[in-house]
Amino acid sequence: MLDRGGPDQRGSTGIPPLDDVLDGLFWGDNVVWQLDGASAEPFYRAILRDAPEFDATSWVAVGRDPGPIATDFAALEVVGTTPGRPSIEPGDLLREIRRRCDAGKRNLLLFESLDGMVETWGAELTRGFFARCCPQLLDVGAVAYWSMDVHRVPATIRDTVEAVTQCVLRLDKHSVRVAKAEGRDHSVRGSLLHWRTGADGPVLAEAEVTGRVAASLRALRRSRKISQRQLAALAGVTASAISQAERAERGLSLSTLVRLSAKLGLTVDDLLHGEDPSAYRIGRRVGDPRSAPERAVTLLGGIASDLRIDLVHLGPREAGAPIERPDGEGIVAVSRGLVQVHVGDQMPAIRDGEVLLADSGRIDGWRNLGDREAALFWIVAASRA
């Protein structure tokens, strides 16, 4: 299981129930709200209430006026262009964002909707801007929020968003669904929360099973591009039954879900997540811009897992040792610096790009031999009986 780190090491969405589902935000997360008949403004306002946690907060515009949000939150600085101001090109805006997001500072950026950018720049320039901006913000550890109307943005942009960004949240008038969440456990994807507007902002609560099935079926049909009638044929029920299930007016029996998952080549768990299983997993480092890199953080696995991967940073001449040493084959892979590894009574040195393999129980520790910071991966593949 991916190690999630402590909540105090991560950013907040401004909404505790959503933080509980995501375990907060990694510094560098780009969060895209896919809007289906709903507005992201209440959720933007929730994160802006946590603005004092950031060193700088910015609204990024390419033509639209940010509206009341800009006047209600005095610390929110407008970047880019608004009506009545000279237009800005994507490349110039990228450079301006990079200039403002200094490394070592916590930056929060709220972007004008992608469908608004399409109106100004066109689909291809908007797609290219998003594809370049997301990795740039990840690199500097900024937290960014984007939004798009799923019925208005072109399919090319929707595909790019789902391929590039770290978090995708689908929002309709009644529910929030986690469609993508890199760096989290597999079970986070597909999580569903019901929401309503409260006096102090959005109020979220975990959805009941019927509601989760409803959202899963809708998401599954979108991803597979199939009709209710086609899904009903696969499940062995009527199209009316699927329609009622998607509106959460009735449930589907376990035998129906099992039959449907088999027809689609999914497990029941994958089916309830509403989409095909993720093709990859990422172990994110926490990376708070205000702090030095974590001296050691578990990216993947644990003491009882088949595979464990720790990322270790060593200051100049600093020594360290494994957090844990499960039984198995131990691998020290140096990504930066010159590191001496203590293997029993031997002390071989390995350079960046090199690896050392030994029984994990014999690797006692390591030391950075250089005058600059070193980084290595401690990998243990569990022994098989």
Side-chain angles (χ1 to χ4, degrees):
M1 184 172 68
L2 293 178
D3 183 270
R4 302 185 181 185
D8 58 329
Q9 296 175 300
R10 304 222 184 150
S12 171
T13 64
I15 304 171
L18 189 56
D19 284 341
D20 290 342
V21 170
L22 296 173
D23 266 2
L25 298 177
F26 288 101
W27 297 100
D29 270 347
N30 287 263
V31 181
V32 179
W33 290 92
Q34 292 186 331
L35 309 176
D36 185 3
S39 170
E41 183 173 336
F43 297 88
Y44 277 20
R45 288 180 174 275
I47 185 62
L48 283 170
R49 285 197 293 270
D50 280 351
E53 295 297 318
F54 296 90
D55 298 308
T57 56
S58 304
W59 177 273
V60 183
V62 300
R64 289 185 177 179
D65 192 317
I69 285 183
T71 54
D72 293 346
F73 296 91
L76 186 64
E77 184 175 0
V78 177
V79 179
T81 186
T82 53
R85 296 170 58 185
S87 61
I88 188 167
E89 294 300 315
D92 293 333
L93 185 56
L94 279 170
R95 286 186 286 273
E96 177 64 13
I97 290 171
R98 182 74 190 211
R99 185 185 69 81
R100 289 171 178 269
C101 293
D102 295 332
K105 292 186 178 180
R106 292 178 173 177
N107 292 278
L108 171 66
L109 297 95
L110 307 179
F111 283 80
E112 176 183 323
S113 67
L114 287 169
D115 32 306
M117 293 183 184
V118 171
E119 291 177 4
T120 302
W121 287 336
E124 191 56 31
L125 284 179
T126 299
R127 188 196 66 79
F129 173 79
F130 183 88
R132 292 179 61 191
C133 193
C134 271
Q136 176 175 293
L137 295 174
L138 175 65
D139 184 45
V140 297
V143 170
Y145 285 81
W146 309 70
S147 68
M148 65 178 187
D149 187 322
V150 294
H151 302 293
R152 297 184 62 189
V153 297
T156 55
I157 293 179
R158 294 198 303 270
D159 292 344
T160 298
V161 165
E162 291 170 4
V164 172
T165 197
Q166 291 78 46
C167 289
V168 177
L169 304 176
R170 291 180 180 161
L171 178 70
D172 60 29
K173 294 179 180 179
H174 306 291
S175 65
V176 177
R177 181 183 186 83
V178 180
K180 182 178 182 182
E182 286 186 347
R184 281 82 171 177
D185 189 85
H186 171 74
S187 62
V188 174
R189 182 180 60 86
S191 297
L192 185 73
L193 296 167
H194 284 316
W195 80 279
R196 60 180 175 83
T197 301
D200 298 320
V203 178
L204 277 69
E206 187 174 352
E208 297 178 356
V209 173
T210 303
R212 180 169 179 175
V213 170
S216 296
L217 293 176
R218 293 194 301 269
L220 179 66
R221 286 201 305 104
R222 281 195 297 266
S223 66
R224 294 289 182 104
K225 297 181 173 62
I226 58 179
S227 67
Q228 288 183 342
R229 188 174 298 278
Q230 290 170 314
L231 192 65
L234 292 172
V237 298
T238 65
S240 176
I242 294 295
S243 177
Q244 289 176 318
E246 288 193 5
R247 297 196 302 270
E249 293 175 357
R250 61 170 287 182
L252 295 177
S253 68
L254 179 59
S255 61
T256 298
L257 294 175
V258 169
R259 184 185 311 114
L260 181 58
S261 63
K263 291 284 188 179
L264 294 170
L266 304 172
T267 66
V268 172
D269 182 61
D270 291 330
L271 177 62
L272 290 178
H273 281 79
E275 298 172 64
D276 294 338
S278 298
Y280 64 91
R281 296 176 70 195
I282 290 179
R284 288 269 182 230
R285 56 184 173 85
V286 179
D288 187 337
R290 289 183 183 172
S291 306
E294 304 90 328
R295 305 324 297 168
V297 59
T298 300
L299 298 180
L300 182 70
I303 192 69
S305 300
D306 291 336
L307 183 69
R308 179 192 179 96
I309 304 176
D310 293 347
L311 172 62
V312 179
H313 290 273
L314 296 169
R317 309 293 177 179
E318 183 181 5
I323 300 174
E324 292 176 343
R325 287 189 291 182
D327 293 336
E329 188 80 6
I331 302 170
V332 179
V334 176
S335 63
R336 183 172 64 246
L338 179 65
V339 176
Q340 186 178 64
V341 184
H342 295 261
V343 187
D345 57 358
Q346 303 294 307
M347 294 186 293
I350 53 176
R351 300 168 295 185
D352 52 278
E354 298 179 338
V355 299
L356 177 145
L357 290 81
D359 184 282
S360 62
R362 293 182 57 81
I363 298 178
D364 299 315
W366 34 69
R367 179 182 295 276
N368 178 7
L369 298 179
D371 295 324
R372 297 182 179 180
E373 186 178 86
L376 62 89
F377 293 92
W378 166 238
I379 305 168
V380 180
S383 300
R384 294 285 188 178

